[in-house]
Amino acid sequence: MHQISGRWRYGLALSLLTVILWGVLPISLSITLQGLDVFTLTWFRFLVSFCLLAIYLKSRGNLPTFSQFRSASPKLVFIATIFLAMNYILFVKGLDITTPANAEVLIQLAPLLMGFGGLVFFKERYTLLQWIGISILTIGFVLFFNEQLSNLITAQTTYVYGSGLIILAAIAWSIYALAQKQLLQTLSSPHIMLVIYGGCAVIFTLFANPIKIFTLSFLQGGMLIFCALNTLIAYGAFAEALEHWQASRVSAVLALAPLVTLVSSWIVSKISPNLIAAEHFTMLGIFGAILVVCGSTAIALGKN
């Protein structure tokens, strides 16, 4: 099994960078989806990420060799590629027919499942403080997303369908993440992401309609480019974080992403109400947010 480097501070910093980028991503995706279909959007994100990463690795003389690819497990590469592709398309489709807030609360199943997968497959262990942190984190999410969860229960069929797609996206992502972590045993994180980006770009080429990109407004085009760069930087940081820190602790920090989404949604709705619907915070929700932060901190930093 893959062994971490032990540089936990570096792993924490990379995880926090991922949180910020993934936190603002649903807002950017929502704006882009106003003028672009989900398949073309996803194809563009993967294609740009693959090209930029290939250029970067080429400039450093670090492109992977054929012998390096042969040393990796083809089955794990296939699993990681297919399930990340599934995650992207299911999440964006679910986001398109629900809301950023709803998408973020449901997608938190992904790091939670990855964390438990780390316990089962990589023999990681939680201390008592970390188990307490999980309890606090769970209570915090229930309080913070009380209104969103209530809306989900009483929602119309389309909304429920979109939420179901996001749950499937979370399951797919956790499988991808665990496969990638094991691939780190034979390949570096940039080489893994290059293969996955390229494979996913090829898959979505069959469904994309690139001509639509030229019909986007200036704002939508800018958000499309940001989404593509977000893919490259956020997943690069996430992949590198797994190299230095336990999967269970990386997953705990990723649980903070919904807070970034909610705060970002509130700021955008104040600046431009026509872009994003306003999110309403209650005292109970604020208290829940504090519990989420405390719980994530306990899980991420709790030591033996």
Side-chain angles (χ1 to χ4, degrees):
M1 289 296 179
H2 169 258
Q3 299 296 318
I4 61 172
S5 70
R7 298 171 61 190
W8 70 269
R9 291 181 179 85
Y10 187 44
L12 173 60
L14 291 169
S15 300
L16 290 174
L17 174 60
T18 306
V19 164
I20 295 172
L21 292 174
W22 281 351
V24 299
L25 181 60
I27 300 172
S28 303
L29 289 172
S30 295
I31 295 173
T32 308
L33 286 170
Q34 295 172 9
L36 199 62
D37 64 276
V38 295
F39 290 104
T40 305
L41 167 59
T42 306
W43 167 78
F44 184 84
R45 292 172 66 191
F46 279 124
L47 180 63
V48 171
S49 297
F50 172 78
C51 293
L52 292 179
L53 183 56
I55 293 172
Y56 171 75
L57 292 176
K58 176 65 175 179
S59 67
R60 297 176 62 89
N62 193 28
L63 282 174
T65 63
F66 181 72
S67 60
Q68 288 176 309
F69 283 135
R70 290 186 62 183
S71 65
S73 168
K75 183 184 295 185
L76 282 178
V77 172
F78 177 80
I79 290 173
T81 302
I82 292 299
F83 279 94
L84 184 61
M86 289 174 58
N87 164 260
Y88 265 58
I89 201 65
L90 289 171
F91 179 79
V92 177
K93 183 63 177 177
L95 173 66
D96 191 31
I97 54 181
T98 58
T99 65
N102 179 70
E104 272 302 312
V105 65
L106 292 178
I107 203 63
Q108 288 314 299
L109 286 171
L112 182 62
L113 290 171
M114 186 190 78
F116 284 120
L119 298 179
V120 174
F121 296 107
F122 295 100
K123 308 305 179 183
E124 299 174 3
R125 292 291 181 266
Y126 278 159
T127 63
L128 176 61
L129 176 60
Q130 288 175 301
W131 284 113
I132 293 173
I134 287 180
S135 301
I136 295 173
L137 182 72
T138 303
I139 295 172
F141 272 125
V142 171
L143 296 177
F144 188 71
F145 293 109
N146 179 59
E147 291 185 13
Q148 283 79 11
L149 292 174
S150 298
N151 290 338
L152 179 59
I153 295 173
T154 60
Q156 297 179 350
T157 303
T158 301
Y159 197 88
V160 174
Y161 171 66
S163 299
L165 293 178
I166 295 171
I167 292 173
L168 291 176
I171 296 173
W173 186 89
S174 65
I175 296 173
Y176 141 77
L178 293 170
Q180 174 175 303
K181 183 167 178 61
Q182 183 60 18
L183 281 170
L184 288 169
Q185 194 174 27
T186 53
L187 291 172
S188 67
S189 56
H191 291 171
I192 295 171
M193 297 315 300
L194 182 67
V195 176
I196 293 177
Y197 290 153
C200 290
V202 170
I203 292 173
F204 288 110
T205 298
L206 302 174
F207 309 100
N209 185 5
I211 300 299
K212 287 188 176 181
I213 295 175
F214 299 99
T215 65
L216 297 177
S217 67
F218 179 79
L219 176 61
Q220 292 168 348
M223 289 297 99
L224 175 63
I225 294 174
F226 174 78
C227 289
L229 295 177
N230 188 300
T231 299
L232 176 64
I233 299 172
Y235 270 89
F238 167 71
E240 191 66 18
L242 291 177
E243 180 72 34
H244 303 287
W245 214 16
Q246 294 96 329
S248 54
R249 298 192 179 189
V250 172
S251 70
V253 177
L254 297 183
L256 298 174
L259 304 185
V260 178
T261 301
L262 268 293
V263 172
S264 302
S265 297
W266 180 80
I267 294 174
V268 173
S269 66
K270 293 297 182 182
I271 297 176
S272 182
N274 295 327
L275 287 178
I276 298 292
E279 298 286 350
H280 301 286
F281 297 94
T282 63
M283 291 303 298
L284 190 63
I286 294 174
F287 179 63
I290 295 173
L291 291 182
V292 168
V293 174
C294 293
S296 294
T297 302
I299 299 171
L301 303 181
K303 296 182 178 180
N304 293 327

